Amino acid sequence: ELKVEQNPLFLSMQEGKNYTIYCNYSTTSDRLYWYRQDPGKSLESLFVLLSNGAVKQEGRLMASLDTKARLSTLHITAAVHDLSATYFCAVDRLRASYGKLTFGQGTILTVHP
Amino acid sequence: EPEVTQTPSHQVTQMGQEVILRCVPISNHLYFYWYRQILGQKVEFLVSFYNNEISEKSEIFDDQFSVERPDGSNFTLKIRSTKLEDSAMYFCASSDLQEQFFGPGTRLTVL
């Protein structure tokens, strides 16, 4: 059974600081997604990572994928209050399961002034 | 930009009642999904649908649940006899196998 684990589950940061969220998954997967969710809202796609060594950046967020270690990271640079949200990673296995996503538990990020 | 839409945004029902949650996937997508998220918890897969049939379902998706694509645009999730523990946010998603897009969700409250 595919399992996805994130850490930390709660992250309290000061504005201007850097931090990394980690996402581990248990079996070979095809793609790794990062989503953002604001309270009571839907899931906003941030990144889709396809291959080993993939790195994508958008603003203050950068995601990377190491398929050999089954690890993805979401790095936050110089955090600002607007980044406060819950961040989920998710993986799929196209050939095995028609794109079904298995999610991590989520990381609740709070950025303080 | 194309998007997944869901109705209603909030549904309140009595235990034992039937509910139908509706979704309009992105028009050129062929793969459709329902997920649920109990308040404060992670997103859980319920069912995937392709070529007019269920391709995979989770343990949560028992006989009380069904899905249907009644026409070329809608994709519905029916819960036949709701229980208190069905209270959750239900997300519809669609995919062209390049990326999966989520709808805004329906918050289901069972009293």
Side-chain angles (χ1 to χ4, degrees), chain A residues 4 31 33 35 37 40-43 45-48 50 88 92 94 96-106, chain B residues 6 31 33 35 37 40-45 48 50 55-56 89 91 95 97-105 107:
Chain A
V4 181
R31 288 176 300 198
Y33 296 75
Y35 288 93
Q37 186 180 40
K41 303 291 186 183
S42 187
L43 295 151
S45 178
L46 296 174
F47 302 107
V48 183
L50 302 177
F88 290 96
D92 70 14
L94 290 175
S97 59
Y98 291 88
K100 154 196 163 185
L101 292 179
T102 301
F103 282 82
Q105 312 97 306
Chain B
Q6 289 185 244
Y31 300 84
Y33 313 86
Y35 296 84
Q37 185 181 32
Q41 297 187 21
K42 70 176 182 180
V43 180
E44 300 174 288
F45 168 78
S48 57
Y50 169 70
S55 45
E56 187 171 350
M89 183 76 98
F91 293 108
S95 167
L97 291 188
Q98 298 300 313
E99 193 169 348
Q100 197 163 138
F101 294 90
F102 284 77
R107 179 165 298 286

Side-chain angles (χ1 to χ4, degrees), chain A residues 3-18:
Chain A
K3 291 186 179 173
V4 181
E5 296 202 350
Q6 289 179 234
N7 73 85
L9 300 184
F10 300 93
L11 180 52
S12 182
M13 296 176 65
Q14 270 193 307
E15 279 190 330
K17 299 291 188 184
N18 304 333

Side-chain angles (χ1 to χ4, degrees), chain B residues 42-73:
Chain B
K42 70 176 182 180
V43 180
E44 300 174 288
F45 168 78
L46 291 178
V47 65
S48 57
F49 193 86
Y50 169 70
N51 200 25
N52 278 322
E53 59 183 24
I54 291 173
S55 45
E56 187 171 350
K57 58 184 180 181
S58 72
E59 290 176 355
I60 303 166
F61 195 89
D62 62 22
D63 291 344
Q64 293 300 311
F65 290 86
S66 62
V67 289
E68 199 177 35
R69 188 154 163 82
D71 53 42
S73 59

Side-chain angles (χ1 to χ4, degrees), chain B residues 7-13 18-22 88 106-110:
Chain B
T7 53
S9 56
H10 193 185
Q11 173 93 49
V12 181
T13 190
E18 174 184 288
V19 294
I20 298 176
L21 310 183
R22 293 183 166 79
T106 293
R107 179 165 298 286
L108 176 64
T109 303
V110 182

